[in-house]
Amino acid sequence: MRVAVVQTQWVDDHEDGLRNAYQAIEDVCGAGDIDLVCFPEFLLGPPWYMPGQDGLKGRTDTPIPGPIVDGFQSLARKLSTHILLGSLVEDLQDGMYRNTSLLIGRQGVITGRAVKAHAFGNEMVVCRQSDSLGVLSTEFGQIGIAVCSDFWIPEVVRLLALAGARTIFVPGGTLEQNQPLMVNALRTAAYLNDVNIVYASSVGVVRGKRGDRLVEIHFAGTSLVAGPQGVITQAGSDEPETLVVDLDEPAHGDGRRWQQLRRPAAYRALLTPYAGADRDLAAELRASLTGGGPDRGRPAGATSAHEGTRP
Amino acid sequence: MTIFVAQHARRATPEATADAILDDLDSRVTDEASFVVLPENAFTTGDAGPALHRPLRERCLDRLTALARTRGTYVLTGSWAEERPGGGLMQVARLLDPRGSECARVERPVLPDGTTGTGDDFPVVETPFGHVGVLLGPDFWLVEPPRIECLTGAELLLVAGSLDGTQQAAQRAAVWGIATLNTVAVAFAGSLNERCGGGSAVAAPEGFLAEAGTDEGVIEAPWDVARIRHLREPDLRFQQTLWFGLWARRTELYTDLTAQVS
């Protein structure tokens, strides 16, 4: 499978983001046969529910099906390639949303979908989460999709690997402060589970105010493709970029050996919550969004007038 | 407070290996020690060796007990094979407290090929230095056992381990990766021989604090449980995000992990 990983730049106008995505597909497919083009989470730019992005509400929200998806379907058909729309803010038309990744096949048909199952931040309040984690059957075999923060739950990649996925796509976004550990964590997940990981990230900055605080969140790219042996290719951290890599299913490695030693009946503790979880984070976020209470955040330093990834 | 991890090449005999390791620990471990960690198959000459004979076993345990008492530290003894009354060999690792008493034990079967099997108990011990999980052998490389110990509250994983995979660079890096994915510190001890590539390390979620590579000796790294507790505290402002992997779980989605999957 020849995979192109598009590292997008977040722009102020999502129409520009859309044009850039089209252009990236045209460019990379024009340069050679590409089986699948993978985009990051929020390929059109930041969602309206990110801190300071209220003005985007109604602009980046995307009905599925709808004209934006139609455009990508046409492009997939024209170029005979799969397109993994990292994620869109799916407008459910009832006041709620989903963070949805779509797989479009060569004939322009939606052949798969993954909805983020582990909501981050305000998604806990405004988004519905997936109730299943499944693999998709494709001409490349079984694949998995872990939408962004789903990756940070090790159970997710494990489940997808045990269900037969040999390549797992992670449309995400690297927070600048997490960059080195993110790269190694992706590599580790590939090794422990004996899978390929295809990770797409964006670059850019989200700025805005939430309450009286200035919000600044920096995204640091570092899209990559990793196999059980290690990182195969990796993008830089601060520019749009497209990676192209030929990817075979991984040979039988250590991860498969570990899996054969599993004792599933002993793992029931995985079905219980973390012992230290003692706060209702969704309630805190809801209060913050509605102005019904302070954004508690971390107790130490929570009164800072500036939040984000840089001091 | 400091973590000490032993990594030594195996000598011609178990006695020589034991003397080298124990002498080195006696000279290197200071009163600052909070934990001392030895590897899987700590004193044998190879991975598939027979049970450590009883006098040597007792001598090693005596010296490690003395080390725990004199330095006021917890000691993960590493493991060695012991015969069981019904036949068969078990790898046994013990966690000794600063009084020299055994406060946790992990036993795993020795498989027909001489390697260590996995188990179904994942102990977490409360200590004055934080909650520690004890892992032996390949349990560490499975996703589930380290995860379970962290979900139970472990803030530091003590691993009597072995870097014996075929993808050793990736395996070495995974010591840190497991720390990141579980927001936990890891003290991993491995030994050196033809099949085991060292890799002893102390890792925090953000990176390695100390690494032995393939060098023989005793490495040390500072230990501060407050850092792990800080990283696990939810921060809804995007400054710290590692807490998410522990807090945002949806347990109803994970039932297949407890079922036998073909």
Side-chain angles (χ1 to χ4, degrees):
Chain A
M1 156 171 52
R2 175 166 288 181
V3 176
V5 183
V6 182
Q7 179 163 293
T8 56
Q9 168 82 49
W10 283 7
V11 290
D12 292 336
D13 186 339
H14 84 280
E15 292 288 349
D16 289 339
L18 188 60
R19 274 191 290 276
N20 292 343
Y22 284 170
Q23 192 62 53
I25 297 171
E26 295 267 15
D27 288 347
V28 73
C29 290
D33 291 337
I34 299 293
D35 292 309
L36 191 151
V37 184
C38 178
F39 282 94
E41 183 187 40
F42 306 133
L43 73 133
L44 301 180
W48 63 267
Y49 50 73
M50 266 197 170
Q53 303 301 301
D54 295 8
L56 293 175
K57 189 169 184 180
R59 294 171 59 202
T60 55
D61 320 342
T62 307
I64 301 173
I68 287 179
V69 178
D70 290 347
F72 283 107
Q73 290 179 287
S74 297
L75 209 49
R77 195 179 307 118
K78 172 184 158 189
L79 298 169
S80 186
T81 189
H82 295 73
I83 300 175
L84 180 60
L85 293 179
S87 80
L88 300 165
V89 182
E90 182 179 3
D91 185 349
L92 297 177
Q93 312 285 311
D94 64 355
M96 291 296 283
Y97 300 83
R98 284 194 301 218
N99 187 341
T100 302
S101 181
L102 294 178
L103 179 63
I104 299 171
R106 293 185 195 277
Q107 285 77 42
V109 175
I110 295 173
T111 57
R113 160 192 306 251
V115 175
K116 196 185 210 177
H118 299 86
F120 193 96
N122 290 341
E123 288 177 341
M124 294 181 201
V125 180
V126 302
C127 288
R128 294 203 178 99
Q129 303 171 65
S130 175
D131 289 325
S132 64
L133 298 165
V135 298
L136 304 175
S137 295
T138 73
E139 67 182 69
F140 317 112
Q142 304 274 82
I143 67 166
I145 302 173
V147 183
C148 195
S149 54
D150 282 357
F151 168 78
W152 285 102
I153 310 292
E155 289 85 345
V156 172
V157 173
R158 188 58 148 187
L159 279 164
L160 295 172
L162 291 172
R166 305 309 313 283
T167 298
I168 295 173
F169 293 86
V170 182
T174 306
L175 295 174
E176 187 177 68
Q177 71 270 32
N178 287 346
Q179 189 211 353
L181 61 86
M182 180 80 185
V183 171
N184 189 60
L186 288 157
R187 173 188 187 181
T188 296
Y191 172 71
L192 294 177
N193 294 287
D194 212 19
V195 295
N196 298 316
I197 299 271
V198 177
Y199 173 69
S201 177
S202 51
V203 296
V205 184
V206 171
R207 290 191 179 91
K209 295 195 83 173
R210 183 168 65 187
D212 61 350
R213 283 198 295 270
L214 177 65
V215 177
E216 199 167 282
I217 305 168
H218 293 251
F219 287 83
T222 59
S223 302
L224 62 82
V225 178
Q229 296 275 15
V231 174
I232 298 168
T233 182
Q234 179 180 324
S237 63
D238 56 0
E239 296 289 339
E241 189 174 341
T242 298
L243 305 171
V244 176
V245 63
D246 289 311
L247 204 52
D248 296 321
E249 286 194 354
H252 198 301
D254 293 343
R256 226 84 61 88
R257 180 176 147 212
W258 313 134
Q259 287 175 31
Q260 288 163 359
L261 292 170
R262 293 180 76 247
R263 300 178 64 157
Y267 303 151
R268 293 200 62 80
L270 294 174
L271 308 184
T272 61
Y274 164 52
D278 58 359
R279 288 164 52 185
D280 184 345
L281 301 182
E284 290 180 31
L285 285 159
R286 193 172 295 111
S288 170
L289 278 176
T290 59
D295 175 10
R296 177 175 164 184
R298 184 186 300 277
T303 57
S304 167
H306 189 111
E307 64 182 46
T309 61
R310 284 177 174 164
Chain B
M1 290 177 288
T2 306
I3 299 170
F4 291 83
V5 179
Q7 173 169 301
H8 293 81
R10 284 169 180 153
R11 273 50 176 183
T13 65
E15 288 81 0
T17 303
D19 286 342
I21 296 172
L22 296 167
D23 289 350
D24 208 11
L25 287 172
D26 279 345
S27 67
R28 292 289 307 276
V29 174
T30 69
D31 290 341
E32 286 295 304
S34 42
F35 299 99
V36 179
V37 187
L38 280 73
E40 178 188 12
N41 269 315
F43 305 121
T44 47
T45 52
D47 292 320
L52 211 59
H53 63 86
R54 190 179 186 91
L56 177 58
R57 223 165 64 202
E58 290 179 351
R59 184 158 64 86
C60 291
L61 193 53
D62 286 346
R63 286 192 63 178
L64 292 170
T65 300
L67 182 73
R69 285 181 181 147
T70 57
R71 306 299 196 279
T73 182
Y74 285 81
V75 176
L76 182 62
T77 62
S79 74
W80 49 77
E82 297 182 9
E83 289 175 0
R84 288 290 172 260
L89 293 174
M90 294 292 279
Q91 280 285 340
V92 182
R94 296 171 173 84
L95 181 64
L96 307 176
D97 69 17
R99 294 170 303 173
S101 301
E102 181 181 304
C103 59
R105 175 191 294 215
V106 179
E107 298 193 2
R108 298 291 183 256
V110 177
L111 301 177
D113 66 357
T115 63
T116 305
T118 57
D120 55 13
D121 58 320
F122 312 111
V124 174
V125 176
E126 184 177 357
T127 80
F129 310 114
H131 290 83
V132 299
V134 178
L135 289 159
L136 167 59
D139 269 337
F140 179 66
W141 303 114
L142 273 65
V143 171
E144 292 85 355
R147 185 68 169 165
I148 287 170
E149 292 191 347
C150 291
L151 292 172
T152 309
E155 295 152 320
L156 168 67
L157 302 179
L158 306 177
V159 187
S162 176
L163 202 76
D164 59 355
T166 58
Q167 300 156 311
Q168 292 204 350
Q171 192 174 15
R172 188 173 291 118
V175 174
W176 167 23
I178 290 168
T180 303
L181 288 166
N182 292 291
T183 321
V184 71
V186 174
F188 174 88
S191 51
L192 288 165
N193 64 15
E194 287 180 358
R195 204 166 72 85
C196 300
S200 296
V202 178
E206 305 101 319
F208 284 110
L209 301 174
E211 286 183 274
T214 54
D215 294 336
E216 184 174 61
V218 178
I219 60 170
E220 58 182 277
W223 164 242
D224 178 10
V225 70
R227 179 64 186 160
I228 297 299
R229 291 177 181 170
H230 174 78
L231 292 174
R232 288 183 173 186
E233 182 71 20
D235 171 16
L236 303 176
R237 301 170 302 150
F238 286 91
Q239 290 188 322
Q240 298 284 357
T241 55
L242 295 183
W243 58 270
F244 182 84
L246 289 172
W247 283 70
R249 302 172 71 249
R250 294 186 58 211
T251 54
E252 71 275 20
L253 299 181
Y254 314 143
T255 52
D256 282 354
L257 293 177
T258 65
Q260 193 66 48
V261 180
S262 59

